Amino acid sequence: MKTVIFFLLITFISIACLEAALGAKHPLLLYAIGFGVWGLFAWYCSVRMKKKAEKRIHEQHFREFMRQQLRRPQR
């Protein structure tokens, strides 16, 4: 849900910047902002996917550890 809200916010910001750049005398800054927010969004998504993959790996290791704990005979 958070990603969808960020996506909509970034879409709004980039559309506003790119439309404003059409009538601006020096549109380079507006183009940079318009495309820069998409770069930040891509970076945010990649970091989030890395964290999700790490969490999945840690959970898998934990499940493996617990499986081995259950297999040990009682003393």
Side-chain angles (χ1 to χ4, degrees):
M1 185 70 182
K2 187 177 177 182
T3 305
V4 172
I5 292 171
F6 282 157
F7 177 76
L8 293 174
L9 180 66
I10 286 175
T11 302
F12 176 74
I13 291 171
S14 66
I15 288 173
C17 286
L18 295 175
E19 284 183 3
L22 292 174
K25 190 173 183 180
H26 302 288
L28 188 59
L29 179 63
L30 293 170
Y31 283 131
I33 293 171
F35 291 114
V37 292
W38 284 108
L40 289 174
F41 181 70
W43 175 74
Y44 165 77
C45 288
S46 70
V47 168
R48 190 163 184 214
M49 296 302 278
K50 283 181 186 176
K51 285 182 182 180
K52 196 179 215 182
E54 287 177 8
K55 183 178 177 181
R56 193 176 330 126
I57 289 170
H58 288 296
E59 288 175 355
Q60 185 179 6
H61 288 306
F62 178 73
R63 276 185 256 132
E64 180 78 25
F65 172 76
M66 291 307 289
R67 235 182 274 132
Q68 292 199 0
Q69 294 298 317
L70 290 174
R71 292 180 186 166
R72 288 186 182 171
Q74 296 291 333
R75 294 182 184 186

